[in-house]
């Protein structure tokens, strides 16, 4: 586990994240579940682009994510089922990130032992972005080396 030198953001920051999930059934390695984590542009008092990026990089450090230009690291089983929800342990000692309403197929894949690719985007994205906007975001951010990745799975107790 990598220890972050920046404080890991708490619930207030996490509540403002844009989180999207999808299942790619046509990937070269078979079905792959994805979670995109990003943040909208600054909108709250005291928020800045630099502060948001620092918090996102802190999450990436705690998760062990690496640049998309390199090899995708396996970061351990960071997902767990809590009741009807899946949550991501992003390294904070008190808080987890709830995975928002993944599809039934996505959930079946993850709970069945399939890998989930965590994608943390450092550039801002608008809340409610649809698949086309997300695809353009990923292409643009990857080309600029502004995407951090890691492969995880569900921890079964």
């Amino acid at each position: 586990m990598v220890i972050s030198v920046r404080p890991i953001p708490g619930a207030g920051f996490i509540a403002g994240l844009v989180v999207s999930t999808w299942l790619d059934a046509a990937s070269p390695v078979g079905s792959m579940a994805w979670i995109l984590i990003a943040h909208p542009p600054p909108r709250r008092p005291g928020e800045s682009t630099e502060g948001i990026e620092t918090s996102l990089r802190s999450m990436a450090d705690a998760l062990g994510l690496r640049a998309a230009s390199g090899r995708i690291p396996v970061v351990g089983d960071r997902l767990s089922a809590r009741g009807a929800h899946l949550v991501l342990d992003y390294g904070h000692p008190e808080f987890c990130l709830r995975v928002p309403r993944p599809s039934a197929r996505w959930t079946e894949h993850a709970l069945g032992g399939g890998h989930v690719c965590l994608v943390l985007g450092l550039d801002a994205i608008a809340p409610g972005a649809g698949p086309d906007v997300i695809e353009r975001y990923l292409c643009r951010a990857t080309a600029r080396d502004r995407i951090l990745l890691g492969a995880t799975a569900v921890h079964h107790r």
Side-chain angles (χ1 to χ4, degrees):
M1 176 188 231
V2 176
I3 304 297
S4 176
V5 295
R6 298 177 275 257
I8 299 169
F13 182 80
I14 296 304
L17 292 173
V18 175
V19 182
S20 185
T21 61
W22 66 96
L23 183 67
D24 182 359
S27 84
V29 295
S31 291
M32 176 67 75
W34 296 81
I35 300 176
L36 169 64
I37 301 168
H39 202 283
R43 63 189 190 284
R44 298 179 196 170
E47 272 188 335
S48 68
T49 302
E50 296 80 17
I52 289 169
E53 182 167 336
T54 296
S55 291
L56 290 169
R57 287 190 180 276
S58 175
M59 288 178 68
D61 290 347
L63 285 163
L65 305 181
R66 298 290 175 255
S69 58
R71 185 176 179 165
I72 299 173
V74 175
V75 298
D77 296 346
R78 295 297 198 126
L79 292 166
S80 60
R82 295 208 181 149
H85 304 287
L86 283 173
V87 296
L88 173 68
D89 174 359
Y90 68 94
H92 193 280
E94 297 178 45
F95 304 109
C96 291
L97 171 69
R98 189 173 121 196
V99 180
R101 298 179 299 280
S103 71
R105 288 182 59 219
W106 192 100
T107 302
E108 288 171 14
H109 171 84
L111 290 175
H115 276 94
V116 177
C117 190
L118 299 174
V119 181
L120 192 138
L122 297 173
D123 292 334
I125 190 169
D132 292 342
V133 172
I134 290 172
E135 185 173 346
R136 288 191 302 272
Y137 172 88
L138 291 171
C139 288
R140 184 176 59 253
T142 300
R144 296 179 57 224
D145 211 20
R146 303 278 295 161
I147 293 288
L148 302 166
L149 300 172
T152 190
V154 174
H155 171 71
H156 294 283
R157 296 176 190 170

